[in-house]
């Protein structure tokens, strides 16, 4: 072979290596029935357990990831932190109350991510605007219910530690720095802006946070507490305490915005007051028009009880007294299925037909006449062309204290616009096309992608906010590499030996 051709081949390999394609994205291949399920579904369960531990401008967060259990299994956004600003990939999670990122002194932090992103460690010393939050400052005392940290002295850092249900934990200290985000400035247009936010500098991670399977730079908590990013920005007058998301479970990504949604119209239900999470009152569950016969007190709210809406959880979890009749009703329509239980919790089976034709539609009823329709393609997930698993789980399997809790995660929230209005203490949703399509020819999101309209409070102007998919870069890059190798093949075919 001509040495010039060897050079072309080496160039192709170098391009692939520099693009990071050697690592690839997190996909769990199944070569035959149920092979490889144990590892992939175990990682998904570990992720869900971890998540259960714990007014001027509209804002547009670039979203990536997906809610498919056999792929990424989570949604994440990019934010800028520090001066000069550096980008960080953080999971968006409505089930927790602080923003934290891995720091340079972190022990057991992942070095790479199987999701296909480049991880970045935050260094307070490299940012000109970074400030240490001390244990005697108001933020620290209010975060710990007004109690000063034992042994606190001037200039001692305000420390944090969060331990999750499976024993995984994150620990470190709070710092204050500039957070850079995109302010909506026009239709499908944004302009950079910033605000000072206090967040956790992760110094020690244990359990799942030290693994690369679903590794990100941190977690962006969108909870109701004053320590959350949205609460801090609202207190400083940067945004209204309203946000929404529209998660695309087909292509990945979607919409995540802060601000009042003008279009589409969203019906809401009241949040249960004085709860740590987004608790709502469920009234009944309907399967193909038949209301399940359940104990009258099964959905009562209280400690360890009630219904939670949580974007940081992938699956849906129900008390045993709900799970059993729900599964019996759904699977009863296909009595010939050969069910396979994986890890004593995942019900899987072979099915070659259209699941929307062969299985039941489930409708959840809430207070204030709000309902949530969940189709078979929402609660069933495919791990091979002819193998499906059920996304319903027993909440008793999730944590020791959660046996009476119902948790609705991404699997049932995807492809719906979900609105969280903390100013009015309501939450709601509507069926919506959240799809984000990407054009590899110009590296841009197509105009046909989903969008919503939000109101800029300062000017009163209504702007269009579109869908994003920051995870598309890898697929676009693969497309460009494929083009390169097609050209390479053409060159080789026209060379005489």
């Amino acid at each position: 072979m001509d040495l010039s051709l060897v050079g072309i081949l080496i160039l192709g390999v170098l391009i692939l290596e520099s693009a990071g394609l050697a690592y690839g994205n997190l996909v769990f291949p199944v070569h035959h029935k149920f092979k490889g399920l144990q590892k992939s579904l175990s990682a998904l369960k570990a992720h869900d357990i971890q998540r259960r531990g714990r007014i001027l401008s509209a804002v547009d967060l670039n979203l990536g990831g997906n809610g498919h259990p056999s792929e990424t299994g989570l949604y994440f956004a990019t934010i800028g932190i520090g001066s000069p600003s550096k980008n960080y990939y953080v999971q968006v999670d409505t089930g927790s109350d602080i923003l934290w990122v891995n720091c340079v002194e972190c022990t057991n932090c992942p070095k790479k991510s199987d999701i296909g992103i480049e991880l970045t460690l935050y260094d307070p010393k490299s940012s000109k605007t970074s400030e240490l939050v001390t244990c005697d400052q108001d933020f620290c005392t209010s975060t710990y219910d007004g109690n000063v940290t034992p042994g606190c002295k001037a200039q001692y850092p305000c420390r944090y530690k969060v331990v999750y249900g499976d024993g995984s934990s994150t620990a470190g200290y709070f710092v204050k720095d500039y957070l850079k985000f995109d302010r909506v400035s026009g239709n499908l247009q944004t302009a950079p802006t910033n605000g000072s936010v206090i967040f956790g500098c992760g110094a020690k991670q244990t359990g799942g946070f030290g693994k690369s399977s679903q590794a990100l730079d941190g977690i962006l908590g969108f909870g109701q507490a004053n320590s959350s990013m949205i609460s801090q920005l609202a207190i400083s007058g940067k945004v209204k305490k309203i946000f929404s998301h529209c998660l695309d479970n087909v292509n990945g990504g979607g919409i995540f915005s802060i601000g009042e949604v003008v279009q589409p119209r969203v019906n809401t239900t009241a949040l249960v007051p004085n709860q740590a999470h987004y608790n709502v009152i469920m009234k009944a569950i309907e399967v193909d028009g038949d209301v399940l016969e359940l104990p009258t007190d099964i959905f009562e709210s209280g400690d360890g009880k009630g219904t939670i809406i949580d974007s940081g959880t992938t699956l849906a979890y129900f008390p045993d007294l709900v799970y059993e009749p729900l599964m019996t009703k759904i699977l009863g329509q296909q009595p010939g299925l050969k069910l396979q239980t994986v890890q004593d919790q995942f019900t899987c089976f072979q099915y070659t037909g259209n699941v929307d034709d062969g299985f039941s539609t489930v409708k959840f009823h809430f207070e204030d006449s709000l309902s949530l329709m969940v189709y078979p393609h929402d609660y069933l997930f495919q791990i091979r062309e002819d193998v499906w698993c059920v996304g319903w789980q027993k909440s008793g399997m999730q944590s020791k204290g959660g046996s009476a809790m119902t948790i609705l995660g991404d699997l049932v929230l995807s492809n719906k616009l979900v609105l969280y209005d903390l100013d009015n203490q309501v939450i709601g949703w509507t069926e919506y096309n959240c799809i984000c399509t990407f054009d590899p020819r110009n590296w841009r999101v197509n105009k046909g992608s989903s969008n919503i309209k939000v109101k800029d409070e300062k000017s009163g102007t209504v702007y269009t906010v579109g869908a994003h998919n920051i995870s598309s870069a890898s697929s676009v890059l693969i497309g460009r590499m494929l083009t390169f190798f097609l050209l390479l093949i053409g060159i080789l075919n026209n060379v005489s030996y």
Side-chain angles (χ1 to χ4, degrees), residues 3 64 100 122 207 213 217 271 300 306 334 355 362 418 459 462 481 497:
L3 290 178
W100 61 267
Y122 172 74
S213 59
D217 293 318
L271 290 168
E300 284 185 355
Q334 297 290 340
V355 292
V362 179
V418 184
S459 64
V462 175
M481 292 303 101
Y497 291 80

Side-chain angles (χ1 to χ4, degrees), residues 133-161 172-174:
V133 177
T134 57
C135 59
D136 58 344
Q137 291 182 8
D138 290 342
F139 177 88
C140 194
T141 55
S142 63
T143 300
Y144 295 104
D145 299 323
N147 298 319
V148 177
T149 304
C152 174
K153 296 181 180 180
Q155 301 307 311
Y156 273 32
C158 177
R159 299 190 179 278
Y160 82 89
K161 182 176 182 179
Y173 55 93
F174 285 110

Side-chain angles (χ1 to χ4, degrees), residues 7-22 477 480-482 484-485:
I8 293 175
L9 287 171
I10 293 174
L11 174 62
V13 173
L14 291 175
I15 292 175
L16 284 173
E17 290 182 346
S18 65
L21 295 182
L477 197 53
R480 291 189 172 184
M481 292 303 101
L482 179 60
F484 169 81
F485 278 108

Side-chain angles (χ1 to χ4, degrees), residues 332-365:
Q333 289 192 339
Q334 297 290 340
L337 288 179
K338 295 182 179 179
L339 303 180
Q340 174 78 33
T341 301
V342 180
Q343 295 183 309
D344 298 324
Q345 54 195 319
F346 286 95
T347 300
C348 302
F349 52 85
Q350 279 191 299
Y351 189 78
T352 56
N354 186 327
V355 292
D356 285 329
D357 294 333
F359 292 86
S360 302
T361 298
V362 179
K363 191 175 185 179
F364 299 103
H365 293 272

Side-chain angles (χ1 to χ4, degrees), residues 409-420:
D410 294 338
L411 211 63
V412 299
L413 299 177
S414 296
N415 307 313
K416 298 169 181 65
L417 177 66
V418 184
L419 173 69
Y420 304 74

